[in-house]
Amino acid sequence: NSVIKGEGEVIITMPNNINRNWSVGNIGKSVIGVANGVAPTEHVFIEGITFDFNANRRGVTSGTDSNKDDAYEKNAFTVANAKNITIRDCRFLNGFRHCLDISTPIKKDADSLSDTQKLLQMPVLPNVGGTEVFGAQYITIENCYFYGGGDDNLTTHYCSNVYITNCRSESPYGGYGIGPSNLNGFEIDDGSRNIHVTGCTAIRCFSAIEVKAHDYAPAPYNVIIKGIQAINCASSVEIHHTNWEGPVSGNSNNAYTV
């Protein structure tokens, strides 16, 4: 078991000249270059720490690049390939992509996978290149604050049994993608299941909460949203499965329990 607690005001950040692909903090094990199963990191408790990506780094592409899986890059913090993790009373600020991503290491680097392999990413992706990859499971995020993400402030992908309680998400800045941005306070995305969002507040976001999946990914299911405040958001809750909104001919492999 690992316990990491801040005493007083503890802020972890990076200098202005560090390549923007480096996240400030991660929980989990990289699978790059590994030829067999990688056991998830387990039983970590973090409390009372601010993780600030540093907004001045958003345009920095020079310097040493990250050598981690895509999921571990560009965020203020990532939880991936991890199990039984609790984060309490922490702040996640100014992520180039997300402030916090609860995910699986290879979630956004799946171009080489078959459609069948992509649909299996919930939360274990069996035998991709000889590697079994675990996502994230039994994750608790409590009394935390998120501000200034380039995409969604807090997001989940390919994970299960995630509890997000009494958190506040505010003002994603919207500089990560090209063109119009979909900037949400809380996003439940591809392959997420058994997700509970309770007593949370979103301020100045596109949607307070978005529950959705990309067309190539399994839709989230068993998502419970309770007691949410949406303040100055364009919409309160958005629920959809991209490109599956209309009639579908034949049987869908993943557009169910949406």
Side-chain angles (χ1 to χ4, degrees):
N1 296 343
S2 298
V3 177
I4 305 169
K5 298 181 70 173
E7 294 291 339
E9 185 178 12
V10 177
I11 300 174
I12 301 175
T13 187
M14 287 187 175
N16 292 341
N17 62 344
I18 300 299
N19 188 292
R20 68 187 183 185
N21 280 346
W22 288 98
S23 293
V24 179
N26 299 313
I27 298 176
K29 298 178 182 178
S30 174
V31 299
I32 289 179
V34 178
N36 49 31
V38 180
T41 298
E42 295 195 52
H43 303 294
V44 178
F45 175 80
I46 297 179
E47 182 178 47
I49 299 175
T50 294
F51 298 90
D52 187 351
F53 184 88
N54 182 357
N56 294 323
R57 296 175 52 216
R58 292 169 178 163
V60 178
T61 58
S62 59
T64 303
D65 201 350
S66 168
N67 61 353
K68 303 298 182 183
D69 305 270
D70 177 72
Y72 297 119
E73 297 181 341
K74 310 178 184 74
N75 303 322
F77 203 91
T78 305
V79 177
N81 195 13
K83 191 174 182 180
N84 296 309
I85 309 298
T86 296
I87 300 176
R88 180 184 298 158
D89 297 330
C90 290
R91 302 167 77 234
F92 303 89
L93 310 178
N94 301 311
F96 173 48
R97 178 162 57 191
H98 303 294
C99 293
L100 174 62
D101 192 356
I102 302 167
S103 187
T104 187
I106 63 170
K107 69 173 178 66
K108 291 191 175 80
D109 188 19
D111 291 342
S112 62
L113 305 182
S114 69
D115 289 341
T116 300
Q117 289 171 328
K118 290 175 182 177
L119 296 176
L120 288 172
Q121 300 183 86
M122 318 190 299
V124 177
L125 179 61
N127 194 26
V128 176
T131 300
E132 286 190 357
V133 181
F134 190 86
Q137 190 173 34
Y138 305 122
I139 312 297
T140 298
I141 310 297
E142 184 177 312
N143 297 330
C144 291
Y145 176 71
F146 309 91
Y147 176 88
D151 191 357
D152 310 291
N153 275 346
L154 183 154
T155 186
T156 69
H157 303 84
Y158 306 116
C159 57
S160 67
N161 303 92
V162 177
Y163 303 88
I164 303 165
T165 306
N166 296 331
C167 292
R168 187 171 70 166
S169 182
E170 187 171 354
S171 301
Y173 86 97
Y176 180 68
I178 298 174
S181 297
N182 179 24
L183 313 170
N184 303 297
F186 302 90
E187 180 192 56
I188 313 303
D189 207 346
D190 306 335
S192 301
R193 60 183 179 180
N194 305 332
I195 311 296
H196 298 249
V197 184
T198 305
C200 293
T201 300
I203 303 172
R204 291 187 296 274
C205 304
F206 183 79
S207 291
I209 297 180
E210 182 181 55
V211 182
K212 78 100 162 59
H214 296 89
D215 54 2
Y216 55 79
Y221 67 91
N222 194 22
V223 178
I224 298 174
I225 300 169
K226 182 178 180 180
I228 301 302
Q229 292 188 84
I231 301 173
N232 294 333
C233 298
S235 67
S236 298
V237 180
E238 170 73 18
I239 302 175
H240 71 275
H241 194 177
T242 303
N243 292 335
W244 294 92
E245 292 92 340
V248 178
S249 59
N251 295 321
S252 165
N253 290 321
N254 61 351
Y256 56 87
T257 64
V258 180

